[in-house]
């Protein structure tokens, strides 16, 4: 199975669950809707940053030379697009047929604007996390190399 699909489907599920919980929270506490929205977006961002960071650390540890790094940019872009399309279709269906409070956007708005927003909400933080993870892996490798070169003095 493609690694972008393994990342995209769970991120779509994270976004769908966040939208469902956001809809329930807004219906039950409408005066705090802004805070619920911020929390829902933050959860999706944090999960994408952590997962991208894990990818970046493992890629940085696997390759000594930065020129040999894997292409995490396209990987996470595809994952974001998959997450956007899946969550757009599922959230549209849920909002129109099952759950109140999620909003009732048209199918095309949900599929184009919602999917684009979700794709960026997954891609940008995951790519940032991957860059940070690679930086941490390089720093760890440099620290270990410096420590190995220094003679012990007693």
């Amino acid at each position: 199975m493609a690694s972008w699909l393994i990342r995209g489907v769970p991120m779509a599920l994270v976004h769908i669950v966040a939208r469902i919980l956001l809809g329930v929270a807004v219906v039950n506490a409408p005066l705090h809707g802004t805070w619920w929205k911020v929390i829902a977006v933050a959860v999706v961002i944090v999960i994408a940053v952590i997962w991208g960071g894990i990818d970046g650390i493992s890629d940085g540890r696997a390759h000594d030379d930065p020129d040999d790094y894997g292409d995490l940019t396209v990987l996470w872009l595809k994952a974001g697009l998959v997450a956007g399309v899946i969550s757009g279709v599922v959230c549209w269906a849920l909002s129109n047929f099952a759950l109140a409070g999620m909003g009732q956007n048209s199918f095309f708005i949900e599929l184009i604007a919602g999917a684009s927003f979700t794709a960026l909400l997954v891609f940008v933080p995951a790519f940032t996390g991957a860059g940070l993870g690679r930086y941490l892996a390089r720093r760890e490798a440099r620290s270990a190399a410096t420590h190995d070169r220094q003679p012990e003095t007693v």
Side-chain angles (χ1 to χ4, degrees), residues 75-147:
L75 174 86
W76 277 103
L77 181 61
K78 288 178 182 179
L81 291 173
V82 166
V85 171
I86 291 172
S87 66
V89 171
V90 171
C91 288
W92 172 80
L94 288 173
S95 67
N96 284 310
F97 302 116
L99 298 171
M102 287 181 62
Q104 291 191 347
N105 296 323
S106 72
F107 180 74
F108 294 109
I109 295 295
E110 196 69 54
L111 192 59
I112 295 170
S116 300
F117 177 70
T118 303
L120 287 175
L121 201 62
V122 170
F123 170 66
V124 173
F127 184 66
T128 303
L132 182 62
R134 285 176 173 165
Y135 169 76
L136 293 174
R138 273 195 317 253
R139 191 174 112 192
E140 178 184 289
R142 271 190 247 125
S143 174
T146 310
H147 183 345

